[in-house]
Amino acid sequence: MSTGLVASARALRIGWLVNPFAGVGGAEGNKGSDDAAIQARAAQGEIPLRAPLRAQQFLAALSELIDPALLVFVCPPGAMGAQHLEAAGLSYELLDVALVQPSSAAETDKALTALVEAKPDLLVFVGGDGTARDVCRNLGESLPVLGIPSGVKMHSGVFAITPEGGAQVLADLVAGKLTALLRQEVRDIDEQAFREGVVRSRHYGEMLVPAENQYVQHVKQGGMEVEELVLMDIAAQLRERLEDQATSPVCVVFAPGSTTRFIQQEFGLESTLLGVDVFALDETLAVIEQKLDVNSRDLEQFCAQYDNVKIVLTAIGGQGHVIGRGNQQLSPALLRRVGKSSLWLVATKTKLESLASRPLIIDSADADLDRAWSGFIPVTCGYRDTVLYRVGIGGARLDEIQRLTAHLAPVLDDVLAAGQSRRLFHGRGGTLPGLEWCCIDYFAPVIFITLFKEPPPMFLAQLVDYLANPSREGLVARPHSSLTDETRSLAIVAQHRYSKPVDNQVLFGEIPTYWLAQCGDLRFQLEAQHQNIGFFLDAAPVRDWLLANARGKRVLNLFAYTCALSVVACAGGAESVVNIDMARKALAVGRHNHKLNETQFAHLPRGAVQYLPHNILNSWGKLKKMGPYDIVISDPPSYQKGSFVLSADYPKVLRRMGDLVSAGGVLIACANAPELPLAAFKEMVETHCPEFACLEQLVNNADFPDVDPDRALKMLIFRRAAE
């Protein structure tokens, strides 16, 4: 059954509960965390706690996605709740409940009783299947829940696929998105039987979960693989690869699973179905030494003896987790040392197809590693049969972010160092399919991201991590103190062009109070609060033309906006410029732009540059009286509600050019209208200006590539016939 859950206008009230011991048995290879001896060692600090790290990851992602003012946390004191919120700088309401440390199932029951009485909208708990059982026993289906995974196994369907995925579920709720509320199974296994190699899974009930398919995990599939011939082919392929590489001893780690156990048996190796086994093999693939069912510490020590280490692992059927479910013995330290290329991932195509195109998941509890290893990974599906499959970190669309950062990587550092205003990525040009909704500009020290539709989940967070990381080695932000001089003052802003009103959001750093565009030696004031910030990078060909051709000319700048083209014309030696625009504030910025650059055109007498705050369509008589002009620039908006519609009003402008442009003078006709083909625009000008002939088309510069030139900014030079 599916119902709907949607955030109300008030703040979302979140019950918050952490099982501090959830997952402590994973790194020890203990198959679970219920063992009293394991918990005692963890309480004494001998084994690192996993749950606090998972809670920290969840809260950090949540703070990145949601304004904390939109959430009200209700929690028990200490390690079961409050201390994690305090560490994250989040406020909370403390429950009046006395808990004994270290925590136990009885303490969890007491905390849950108090939480239910506090009447939250949703309970978020950090734990594993055992914690889910406790929650289910106390709550049943009375309250929606969301589990943040911290256990060893997590067969239940109540968990987010990663802490970051759980944060995204809450972000969607707060954003008012209708989210399905589904009954999901709570399952757990007999840990003692599990340690003995027997899986006894039991159904303990169901709970209601805000289940967004991309962020909430599926219940683990049970059963053995039956495609024995395919598995034999996979084993044969791995044997061939090992024989090719075994010029010296090779260390092979087999992660848990029926697929990897089958391969071990095909190799004649001992195996434990549910443990991590490691072997040192000589050039003939004979066993030099071995250890079965190792913990993370012993595994790291064993592998440290060998330069050549391979890890054979498979994905959990139905869920798709590669790292972080039942194989926490593969520590982030070991994975970093071995490297992603030394992961030998094996799976039948049936298992991959069961994922229904969802990505494989890396959830190592090390965010840096998870992000760096996301993307694509080869999966061996048979003998000489390998496919590339997508790997994600909680459902984020890393295919898009990685294509974008690969595009930025060759130019980003050089552009930041040069300080000149540039377009870094022109998504509107369609050269990276699927990213047409994003453009990125640099106006030192601000990277300005324009979004024409809502980006995928986590897209902005990952992009900011990349842009703010001076090493560019991964999608992870470094502390501010580690930034280079060129990026120490870096700011990153996202303009949500699709929202009404348009919102400019500061994502990183601070926009300087005095913010300028820099083009060559010329500078132009920018305004961070507006949709159009005051300068158009795509008009560079027009600026270049004016610098080369404006000397001694009288110029009329129609639709002048902030007078950037007037500044350029003056820098190119123009005799005079008349700027006209109905926006007084824009013209005021234009005056300031001229003052900023006055040393570039000291030759101009006082009054040579004029500013007319008028509607152009009602000012032809005045403009004609002040003319004629050697150069007229016409670069109107494509649509400005109540004042200018290109298709209807541009012909009216063109019909006046005969009165304004001197004999032999030039009209620079521009149109930023993707729906208007270049040929049709050229025909429009020639129809309404019959005495003008087209001299040339100004070509968009390399920062603005476009798969369809008709959609790009059109810039045509026309000359009026000499009388």
Side-chain angles (χ1 to χ4, degrees):
M1 183 193 78
S2 171
T3 58
L5 179 66
V6 63
S8 64
R10 65 172 174 81
L12 193 67
R13 191 171 172 82
I14 305 294
W16 171 248
L17 180 70
V18 178
N19 175 0
F21 294 122
V24 294
E28 293 297 299
N30 204 54
K31 318 301 184 297
S33 305
D34 293 344
D35 188 294
I38 288 287
Q39 292 188 8
R41 290 174 60 197
Q44 294 167 10
E46 295 179 19
I47 303 174
L49 295 177
R50 178 176 171 84
L53 173 61
R54 307 298 272 174
Q56 177 188 352
Q57 288 178 304
F58 167 76
L59 294 173
L62 194 65
S63 298
E64 212 171 68
L65 292 169
I66 302 175
D67 181 351
L70 300 176
L71 302 174
V72 175
F73 285 95
V74 185
C75 67
M80 293 186 70
Q83 77 174 38
H84 311 286
L85 296 170
E86 287 177 2
L90 297 172
S91 58
Y92 56 88
E93 294 179 9
L94 191 64
L95 295 171
D96 184 15
V97 56
L99 300 175
V100 178
Q101 299 296 329
S103 66
S104 64
E107 301 307 298
T108 299
D109 289 343
K110 287 168 61 178
L112 286 167
T113 299
L115 277 166
V116 170
E117 293 175 355
K119 298 183 178 176
D121 299 306
L122 171 74
L123 173 67
V124 177
F125 70 91
V126 181
D129 283 331
T131 315
R133 285 171 52 185
D134 295 337
V135 174
C136 185
R137 185 176 62 253
N138 283 273
L139 271 64
E141 298 181 20
S142 65
L143 182 69
V145 305
L146 180 64
I148 305 305
S150 179
V152 176
K153 311 166 297 296
M154 289 165 294
H155 291 223
S156 303
V158 301
F159 292 101
I161 58 174
T162 63
E164 293 83 0
Q168 188 63 57
V169 172
L170 259 65
D172 287 349
L173 284 173
V174 171
K177 295 183 179 179
L178 188 65
T179 302
L181 194 60
L182 303 180
R183 284 194 178 99
Q184 297 284 66
E185 290 186 355
V186 175
R187 305 192 69 88
D188 199 4
I189 64 172
D190 183 326
E191 288 191 6
Q192 184 56 44
F194 192 39
R195 295 184 190 102
E196 297 170 0
V198 179
V199 180
R200 292 176 184 161
S201 179
R202 178 180 169 188
H203 176 268
Y204 284 89
E206 294 179 340
M207 292 193 288
L208 296 175
V209 180
E212 206 289 329
N213 185 52
Q214 195 174 10
Y215 301 114
V216 178
Q217 75 179 31
H218 290 221
V219 176
K220 184 186 184 299
Q221 291 178 340
M224 297 286 290
E225 285 280 359
V226 295
E227 299 171 333
E228 187 169 336
L229 293 177
V230 176
L231 295 178
M232 291 174 65
D233 282 348
I234 291 174
Q237 174 63 29
L238 293 194
R239 177 181 291 277
E240 186 175 283
R241 291 174 70 180
L242 283 171
E243 289 172 344
D244 290 343
Q245 296 207 2
T247 56
S248 59
V250 58
C251 177
V252 184
V253 180
F254 289 92
S258 57
T259 303
T260 51
R261 189 185 195 195
F262 185 97
I263 295 168
Q264 288 173 257
Q265 292 170 343
E266 283 293 294
F267 284 9
L269 303 173
E270 294 184 61
S271 64
T272 55
L273 172 62
L274 305 171
V276 171
D277 305 326
V278 59
F279 304 86
L281 306 178
D282 66 14
E283 292 83 348
T284 66
L285 303 190
V287 176
I288 302 171
E289 62 173 326
Q290 68 179 43
K291 279 195 175 183
L292 305 181
D293 198 9
V294 295
N295 60 32
S296 61
R297 181 179 54 259
D298 291 342
L299 182 60
E300 287 184 29
Q301 290 175 353
F302 190 105
C303 293
Q305 305 172 73
Y306 299 94
D307 294 328
N308 190 5
V309 179
K310 304 299 178 189
I311 299 176
V312 180
L313 71 170
T314 190
I316 295 179
Q319 292 183 8
H321 284 83
V322 176
I323 300 292
R325 293 295 187 273
N327 58 15
Q328 286 100 333
Q329 299 93 319
L330 304 177
S331 67
L334 175 66
L335 294 171
R336 287 183 184 281
R337 176 180 173 266
V338 170
K340 184 180 177 183
S341 63
S342 291
L343 289 188
W344 287 3
L345 183 59
V346 297
T348 65
K349 289 181 179 176
T350 300
K351 180 178 280 189
L352 294 180
E353 287 169 355
S354 75
L355 296 175
S357 299
R358 297 190 308 276
L360 297 169
I361 302 298
I362 293 179
D363 185 22
S364 71
D366 184 317
D368 291 14
L369 180 70
D370 295 347
R371 287 168 174 159
W373 282 23
S374 296
F376 288 86
I377 192 169
V379 183
T380 300
C381 300
Y383 183 69
R384 298 191 177 179
D385 183 3
T386 300
V387 300
L388 275 179
Y389 201 93
R390 188 159 59 95
V391 181
I393 57 166
R397 299 277 294 278
L398 286 187
D399 54 338
E400 293 174 337
I401 198 72
Q402 288 185 332
R403 286 190 297 135
L404 178 53
T405 55
H407 173 89
L408 294 171
V411 300
L412 184 57
D413 288 333
D414 288 343
V415 171
L416 294 183
Q420 291 287 309
S421 297
R422 292 271 304 274
R423 174 145 294 186
L424 292 167
F425 173 64
H426 184 57
R428 301 289 272 180
T431 54
L432 285 186
L435 283 162
E436 294 85 355
W437 43 268
C438 177
C439 292
I440 305 177
D441 298 319
Y442 182 57
F443 298 99
V446 179
I447 295 177
F448 195 86
I449 305 165
T450 305
L451 303 167
F452 295 90
K453 76 168 189 178
E454 185 175 2
M458 300 300 287
F459 175 89
L460 281 178
Q462 293 156 2
L463 181 56
V464 170
D465 281 347
Y466 174 80
L467 294 172
N469 173 9
S471 71
R472 318 285 178 224
E473 292 175 355
L475 301 175
V476 184
R478 296 291 183 262
H480 193 266
S481 60
S482 71
L483 299 180
T484 61
D485 288 341
E486 77 194 39
T487 59
R488 193 175 304 279
S489 60
L490 181 72
I492 303 173
V493 177
Q495 181 179 94
H496 300 270
R497 185 73 68 90
Y498 56 87
S499 67
K500 302 297 180 185
V502 171
D503 174 38
N504 291 343
Q505 177 189 12
V506 179
L507 304 175
F508 180 87
E510 296 181 1
I511 301 175
T513 303
Y514 197 55
W515 184 28
L516 302 174
Q518 183 79 38
C519 288
D521 295 327
L522 301 177
R523 299 178 299 162
F524 306 88
Q525 181 181 330
L526 300 175
E527 300 287 343
Q529 294 78 27
H530 303 145
Q531 174 175 314
N532 293 324
I533 61 174
F535 190 79
F536 297 112
L537 290 168
D538 56 355
V542 175
R543 292 193 291 273
D544 292 343
W545 190 94
L546 286 170
L547 281 173
N549 294 279
R551 183 163 299 281
K553 301 296 194 296
R554 295 160 295 168
V555 178
L556 172 61
N557 187 20
L558 302 174
F559 310 98
Y561 187 42
T562 57
C563 307
L565 295 180
S566 172
V567 170
V568 173
C570 291
E575 178 183 298
S576 64
V577 181
V578 174
N579 295 289
I580 181 169
D581 196 290
M582 65 186 302
R584 288 181 178 272
K585 289 184 178 179
L587 288 180
V589 175
R591 289 179 183 272
H592 183 65
N593 283 336
H594 275 270
K595 188 169 184 62
L596 276 174
N597 297 282
E598 59 187 358
T599 58
Q600 300 291 322
F601 34 84
H603 64 283
L604 286 175
R606 187 178 182 84
V609 180
Q610 299 185 60
Y611 308 89
L612 306 180
H614 304 315
N615 185 329
I616 292 169
L617 300 179
N618 298 328
S619 304
W620 299 123
K622 184 177 186 68
L623 292 174
K624 181 179 180 181
K625 186 175 181 180
M626 298 174 68
Y629 309 92
D630 303 307
I631 299 173
V632 174
I633 307 164
S634 178
D635 185 13
S638 57
Y639 177 79
Q640 198 167 65
K641 187 175 181 180
S643 60
F644 194 89
V645 178
L646 188 141
S647 58
D649 294 324
Y650 211 146
K652 300 175 186 177
V653 174
L654 295 172
R655 285 195 289 269
R656 297 289 184 170
M657 292 302 103
D659 294 332
L660 299 176
V661 181
S662 61
V666 166
L667 165 65
I668 304 175
C670 304
N672 189 8
E675 73 283 358
L676 180 65
L678 176 64
F681 178 55
K682 182 172 180 287
E683 182 181 0
M684 177 194 292
V685 179
E686 291 173 340
T687 298
H688 297 287
C689 302
E691 65 271 53
F692 288 75
C694 186
L695 291 181
E696 63 176 311
Q697 174 193 353
L698 301 182
V699 179
N700 291 277
N701 68 26
D703 287 349
F704 290 85
D706 205 304
V707 295
D708 181 2
D710 272 342
R711 294 184 56 81
L713 174 64
K714 300 157 190 70
M715 299 165 283
L716 299 174
I717 306 294
F718 288 84
R719 185 178 298 282
R720 185 180 181 186
E723 294 179 351

